[in-house]
Amino acid sequence: MDPVLIPIVVAAIVVVFLLAATVRIVPQARRYNIERFGRYRRTLQPGLNFVVPVADRINTKLDVREQVYSSAPKPVITEDNLVVNIDTVLYYQITDPRAAAYEVADYLQAIDQLTVTTLRNVIGSMDLEQTLTSREEINARLRAVLDDATGKWGIRVNRVEIKAIDPPVTIKEAMEKQMRAERDKRAAILHAEGERQAKILTAEGTKQKDILEAQGTQQAMILRADGEAKAVERVFQAVHRNNADPKVLAYKYLETLPHLAKSDNNTFWVIPGELTEAVRAVTHAFADHSTTGLPGNTRPPEAAPPPGSDEAPNEEQTPEIEAGTPLSLDAAAAADAVAEQAAAVVSDAKAEAARASQAPDRSRTSGD
């Protein structure tokens, strides 16, 4: 190589190196602190910047975007002497690159220690219950203290959040038991309220049902009573309108006696005192057609004694059997005989009534 070219090449290389050392390109959201001969000179802004080669050098490169710093769990003692571990999350931003580089040696460590100290002061005045339920208050107090301390460091704390509060294991178990007991209590209260409402509704339904049934029974009894009253009224009207005589009443009276004797539930039955009078009335009613008297008796009917004689029948001497008094064998046989005689009299009366009803038809037919 030509010896003349060697110095030219070296000079060119030095010029290129000096030009490269003179130009500095700073990215967006970055700040470079420049020192000249060891003394702070200026802070380079984003874009193309020129510096003095060899004399100027870049001391620190800082990111001015908002940063997130998560600290490790720190033990803190509460007012009721319980140790809890608290994790915090810090959101900060560098506002003055010079102060962040020259006012504090390590701003992250300084912020972390300041956060722990402030937490211990704040949590130390609260019990565990307040600590768990007062996160907003703790965050506000932390931010106020950190803003006041980090302002001179060229750092602005935008937000401080408590990420987790971990009480001891025994306290966790006690809290879980308390929470379970509260939920069981709430469930029992809700269950009791449900049963109470169900019983009230059931009672209301039963009440309405009883009221409706009582009203229905009342209306049915009223209608039944009205029907029976109308039936009785019609029977009496028919009796009075047809002018029924004692013969018909006596006949109906004797007609019901066999039905009383046929009942299966009667261990004994009572013969009313008016039975002989009814038999005598029926016999007297049909005396002109019957000459044999009662069935089974072949003697002619005796003439009735005069009313003033001693042989006149006395109603007070008519034998009566009181209700509820058991009959002897002779009395039962006599009662059966009387029932048979009454049935025979009823049969004869029916036959005589049938012949009497046929006689007018025949006379009307012969007249025609």
Side-chain angles (χ1 to χ4, degrees):
M1 179 179 290
D2 191 355
V4 179
L5 295 177
I6 294 175
I8 296 173
V9 172
V10 172
I13 293 174
V14 171
V15 170
V16 171
F17 176 76
L18 291 175
L19 290 176
T22 303
V23 178
R24 290 289 183 269
I25 299 175
V26 180
Q28 184 67 31
R30 299 291 193 278
R31 301 291 186 273
Y32 293 171
N33 290 326
I34 301 298
E35 293 180 352
R36 180 171 294 177
F37 299 112
R39 183 182 178 88
Y40 173 76
R41 178 67 180 175
R42 62 193 178 96
T43 301
L44 299 181
Q45 299 297 322
L48 182 63
N49 296 276
F50 297 96
V51 296
V52 178
V54 180
D56 295 342
R57 70 182 186 90
I58 299 175
N59 182 22
T60 53
K61 298 179 179 181
L62 299 176
D63 190 347
V64 296
R65 295 175 296 179
E66 186 175 7
Q67 304 293 322
V68 180
Y69 175 72
S70 177
S71 63
K74 300 295 190 298
V76 180
I77 300 176
T78 62
E79 186 181 10
D80 47 358
N81 297 325
L82 291 177
V83 179
V84 294
N85 294 324
I86 300 179
D87 297 346
T88 58
V89 178
L90 180 67
Y91 296 86
Y92 68 94
Q93 185 177 11
I94 297 175
T95 57
D96 187 357
R98 187 195 66 79
Y102 297 102
E103 295 295 335
V104 61
D106 188 353
Y107 60 86
L108 288 179
Q109 183 180 3
I111 292 174
D112 186 27
Q113 295 300 321
L114 183 59
T115 302
V116 173
T117 304
T118 307
L119 273 177
R120 288 176 178 172
N121 292 332
V122 174
I123 301 299
S125 61
M126 298 181 178
D127 56 9
L128 181 61
E129 191 71 22
Q130 292 178 344
T131 301
L132 295 175
T133 58
S134 303
R135 293 196 177 192
E136 293 296 332
E137 180 182 355
I138 296 173
N139 294 337
R141 294 175 67 176
L142 277 175
R143 181 181 175 184
V145 173
L146 290 175
D147 270 342
D148 187 24
T150 59
K152 62 182 179 179
W153 298 340
I155 297 173
R156 183 179 67 228
V157 177
N158 296 327
R159 190 187 312 171
V160 180
E161 296 289 342
I162 295 178
K163 183 169 63 175
I165 300 176
D166 296 329
V169 179
T170 55
I171 300 301
K172 286 183 179 180
E173 293 177 355
M175 292 171 63
E176 290 178 357
K177 291 180 180 180
Q178 181 181 2
M179 181 178 61
R180 191 179 302 110
E182 288 291 334
R183 291 184 176 178
D184 293 340
K185 174 185 176 182
R186 239 176 297 167
I189 292 174
L190 292 176
H191 183 68
E193 287 290 336
E195 289 185 351
R196 175 174 173 269
Q197 292 294 331
K199 289 181 179 179
I200 290 174
L201 294 176
T202 302
E204 290 291 336
T206 304
K207 176 183 175 182
Q208 294 295 330
K209 175 185 174 183
D210 294 340
I211 291 174
L212 293 177
E213 287 182 353
Q215 291 178 352
T217 304
Q218 179 185 7
Q219 294 294 330
M221 293 177 66
I222 291 173
L223 293 176
R224 192 180 298 111
D226 291 340
E228 292 178 356
K230 290 180 179 179
V232 172
E233 182 180 359
R234 290 188 178 182
V235 169
F236 275 102
Q237 288 178 359
V239 171
H240 289 291
R241 185 170 55 248
N242 295 328
N243 194 14
D245 56 1
K247 299 176 183 180
V248 178
L249 299 178
Y251 167 72
K252 297 300 291 182
Y253 182 80
L254 292 175
E255 193 178 14
T256 58
L257 290 178
H259 296 287
L260 295 175
K262 290 179 181 179
S263 178
D264 296 333
N265 296 326
N266 291 336
T267 56
F268 65 92
W269 56 290
V270 179
I271 301 174
E274 298 87 0
L275 178 61
T276 55
E277 295 294 334
V279 173
R280 187 179 297 110
V282 174
T283 305
H284 180 70
F286 301 97
D288 53 346
H289 299 285
S290 178
T291 58
T292 57
L294 295 176
N297 187 5
T298 57
R299 294 181 300 173
E302 298 177 356
S309 63
D310 297 334
E311 296 180 1
N314 190 4
E315 295 181 355
E316 297 179 356
Q317 296 178 359
T318 302
E320 295 183 358
I321 301 177
E322 297 180 357
T325 304
L327 299 176
S328 61
L329 295 177
D330 295 338
D336 293 338
V338 171
E340 292 176 0
Q341 292 176 4
V345 170
V346 170
S347 300
D348 293 341
K350 288 182 178 180
E352 291 296 336
R355 286 196 294 271
S357 62
Q358 293 176 0
D361 295 337
R362 291 176 182 175
S363 60
R364 191 179 300 112
T365 303
S366 61
D368 294 337

